[in-house]
Every structure is written in structure tokens, then in C-alpha cells.
Amino acid sequence: MLHDVMSPGVDALLEQARAGLRRLSPQETVEAVRAGALLVDTRTESQRREQGELPGAVVIDRTVLEWRLDPASEWRIPEATGYDREIVVVCRQGYASSLAAASLQALGLRNATDMIGGVQAWREAGLPFSDQPADIRP
């Protein structure tokens, strides 16, 4: 019986996650990456094929995101250089990326955030896509 479960619901979880983030517009994301932020794309392969690849992004599956970005993890990527590293998570529409960024902040990555509107907003802003293969980090 679903109605017996006491849950604030996913909308409340999303609101709570976003309360701790200074989310970036697509243009602010471009500027952050130019200044050294790590752009992390968590979209699926089919979503990336449909929407296009983001220039300079590393692709990390959402299921291993925390392990790849925690500087203390033995499974980290080389770019996971410290807990103060600026990280911008991007997804298709900017919902799952907010939850992912909040999870990274809970891990100690205090400069983790996400991009408002996801790749859909990137496209609507007229920003470029990459013609290079994705930089996939398994």
C-alpha cells in the first residue's frame, strides 16, 4: 500500500538537493569549464547519441559517479584531484544532475553543482556540441 509509506516525495528531495547548490546556466557552465571546472556528463549512451556530445566533458555513469570523483577512492579518475575541485554535473534536463551534485557535496566535494536545464538548455542556448568521440570513463 503506497499511501502508507511516509515519504516527502521526489519533488521535496529535489528541492532539498537544489537548496545546497549554486546551479549554473549553460553559459556559466562554459565559463566555469574555461576556468578549470570539470564537466561531467551522466547521460546514457542513447541520450548522448540523440542529443550530442558536450565539448570537454568526461562521461561517467551515474552508478559509479561518487567512486570516480572521490579523491580518496582507489577507483577515482585522474581529474579527481581534491575536494575543492569545481565539478559541474550535466544530465538530459537538469533533474538527476541536481541529485548527483548533492550526493557529491555530501561526499565532501563542496564545489560540486549542476547545470540548469541540462543538455536541453545547452542546445536551446545555441552552444556548440563536439564532433569528437565521448571521453567515457568506465
Side-chain angles (χ1 to χ4, degrees):
M1 291 202 203
L2 198 55
H3 64 278
D4 289 342
V5 175
M6 295 304 295
S7 169
V10 71
D11 291 335
L13 182 64
L14 182 63
E15 184 178 330
Q16 179 183 9
R18 288 180 172 169
L21 303 174
R22 189 185 78 74
R23 303 179 74 215
L24 303 180
S25 70
Q27 190 57 49
E28 289 172 324
T29 298
V30 169
E31 293 164 13
V33 170
R34 282 188 189 133
L38 179 63
L39 184 60
V40 177
D41 188 344
T42 61
R43 292 175 300 149
T44 64
E45 181 182 353
S46 63
Q47 289 171 337
R48 294 190 332 271
R49 190 170 44 248
E50 177 188 318
Q51 289 185 301
E53 301 292 351
L54 295 178
V58 295
V59 176
I60 301 176
D61 191 274
R62 177 63 191 97
T63 61
V64 295
L65 186 70
E66 290 82 357
W67 287 268
R68 298 300 179 262
L69 296 177
D70 181 356
S73 170
E74 65 180 284
W75 298 285
R76 72 187 173 277
I77 62 172
E79 293 86 351
T81 54
Y83 290 98
D84 59 347
R85 178 82 198 256
E86 187 174 6
I87 297 169
V88 183
V89 183
V90 179
C91 68
R92 184 181 176 112
Q93 294 180 315
Y95 294 96
S97 58
S98 293
L99 298 177
S103 178
L104 294 175
Q105 282 193 353
L107 189 63
L109 293 158
R110 60 186 172 273
N111 293 318
T113 191
D114 76 323
M115 186 174 75
I116 300 165
V119 176
Q120 184 173 317
W122 180 281
R123 179 174 300 286
E124 290 168 3
L127 293 169
F129 285 84
S130 177
D131 58 359
Q132 300 300 307
D135 183 1
I136 300 172
R137 307 297 179 89

